[in-house]
Amino acid sequence: MPLWDIVDPGAAVELPSLSPPVEDRFSGAAALSKTGSLAAAGTSVGSVHL
């Protein structure tokens, strides 16, 4: 599932993916900062991506 930069809703931009898809890796948790400027996702293999 892609992530989108919607600072300007009329000109949404798809963001690059966090990592190449791997079947045994999935997002187990995700969080967004209060300002919406930073996202974090944790994977089933113990890594965290910002």
Side-chain angles (χ1 to χ4, degrees):
M1 177 184 289
L3 295 175
W4 294 87
D5 177 344
I6 56 168
V7 170
D8 178 356
V13 176
E14 185 174 352
L15 299 173
S17 63
L18 296 175
S19 63
V22 176
E23 286 185 21
D24 66 344
R25 194 185 288 179
F26 63 92
S27 179
L32 192 60
S33 68
K34 287 183 181 184
T35 63
S37 62
L38 182 65
T43 70
S44 62
V45 294
S47 62
V48 175
H49 299 270
L50 299 176

